[in-house]
Amino acid sequence: MDHLAVHSAPAAAAAASAEPAGPRLLIVGRLHPQKNHGVLLEALARLPTDLSHWRLSIVGQGELEEELRDHARRLGISERVDWHGQVDDPY
């Protein structure tokens, strides 16, 4: 099961402790075409300037990781996306 939430789960918060504070979107799931992570990256890129401090944490791994990282770079949001890879218990 995948979850999309504005969230501060304990494990995610611990993983993000070295990252900048502020509002954060979190998605947990394998990086696979079916999950459509690219849509979330595009949504982050389209946030108005007054919400440009929002970040995205991606927990999961899969075949699309490099493609999604490239997509974030092309959108100009790579510095606002944190990649956590596979986490045993993200909650």
Side-chain angles (χ1 to χ4, degrees), residues 11 28 59 84-91:
V28 179
V59 178
H84 299 283
Q86 183 173 340
V87 174
D88 289 333
D89 182 7
Y91 305 105

Side-chain angles (χ1 to χ4, degrees), residues 36-59:
N36 236 347
H37 288 79
V39 171
L40 186 55
L41 292 172
E42 291 167 17
L44 183 69
R46 291 180 178 164
L47 286 177
T49 345
D50 61 327
L51 298 178
S52 65
H53 60 291
W54 279 67
R55 300 187 65 79
L56 170 63
S57 287
I58 298 178
V59 178

Side-chain angles (χ1 to χ4, degrees), residues 1-9 12 24-31 35-37 40 56-60 87-91:
M1 176 185 268
D2 296 330
H3 301 276
L4 171 62
V6 176
H7 204 284
S8 62
R24 178 175 306 275
L25 298 169
L26 170 67
I27 186 166
V28 179
R30 62 193 164 105
L31 307 181
K35 306 300 180 181
N36 236 347
H37 288 79
L40 186 55
L56 170 63
S57 287
I58 298 178
V59 178
V87 174
D88 289 333
D89 182 7
Y91 305 105

